[in-house]
Amino acid sequence: MTRVGFGFDLHPLVAGRPLVLGGVQVPSDLGLDGHSDADVLSHAVAEALLGALALGDLGRHFPDTDPRWLGVSSLLLLKGVLDLVTARGARLINVDATVLAQAPRLVSLLPEMAKRLADTLGIAVDAVSVKAKSPEGLGLLGRREGIAAMAVVSVEVG
Ligand code: MG
């Protein structure tokens, strides 16, 4: 049986933090704030994986009150989620994700993000799609108050 999972995440942009998306450090004057490295793309993929098996959300498994996850690479959290999913007999088939960021332009870094995610998830890079969309100046994303990401995954179960 094939199941689908959907994930969404949003983090605030602040000065003095690195911008990490899909495990790739992106040159930027602002970075994402959060307990881990605040990699909103990796978090959205992790949320989608958890969603595919109805395992709750990322905060349930990796609470932002736990000092073990302070400042860690979110690829580590993503691998932890993959292990939870794999332990239940599911196999990840593919990922399709979109990052919503007004700036910087991400297009040249998307293949590297897809590769880092694919390596972490143990699937082929052509099974991982990472896209970027501009919010066209609209709303909180357009004002660069934050960056959001959405992801869908499919998994094979049983
Ligand atoms: Mg998050």
Side-chain angles (χ1 to χ4, degrees), residues 15 31-32 35 83 94 99 108 143-144 150-151:
L32 292 172
H35 185 69
D83 290 344
N94 75 303
V99 180
S108 64
R143 292 189 298 271
R144 296 194 74 203
M150 293 176 273

Side-chain angles (χ1 to χ4, degrees), residues 99-130:
V99 180
L100 279 152
Q102 183 65 37
R105 274 185 68 78
L106 300 173
V107 61
S108 64
L109 295 169
L110 298 179
E112 181 63 19
M113 293 177 199
K115 185 176 184 325
R116 296 274 174 102
L117 291 173
D119 288 349
T120 301
L121 295 167
I123 56 177
V125 72
D126 67 1
V128 178
S129 157
V130 181

Side-chain angles (χ1 to χ4, degrees), residues 8-11 33-36 38-44 47 58 74 77:
F8 173 81
D9 200 22
L10 170 67
H11 280 260
D33 200 15
H35 185 69
S36 62
D39 178 346
V40 72
L41 172 57
S42 296
H43 291 185
E47 297 274 7
L58 192 57
S74 293
L77 307 183

Side-chain angles (χ1 to χ4, degrees), residues 14-96:
V14 295
R17 289 267 301 182
L19 176 58
V20 181
L21 294 169
V24 176
Q25 188 148 342
V26 178
S28 172
D29 56 332
L30 302 176
L32 292 172
D33 200 15
H35 185 69
S36 62
D37 64 1
D39 178 346
V40 72
L41 172 57
S42 296
H43 291 185
V45 175
E47 297 274 7
L49 268 170
L50 290 169
L53 294 194
L55 293 176
D57 65 19
L58 192 57
R60 180 172 130 193
H61 298 276
F62 298 94
D64 64 7
T65 49
D66 189 330
R68 278 181 299 168
W69 318 125
L70 181 63
V72 298
S73 165
S74 293
L75 294 181
L76 200 81
L77 307 183
L78 183 57
K79 179 67 169 68
V81 166
L82 179 75
D83 290 344
L84 286 172
V85 167
T86 305
R88 281 164 174 78
R91 185 179 66 85
L92 176 61
I93 299 171
N94 75 303
V95 176
D96 184 16

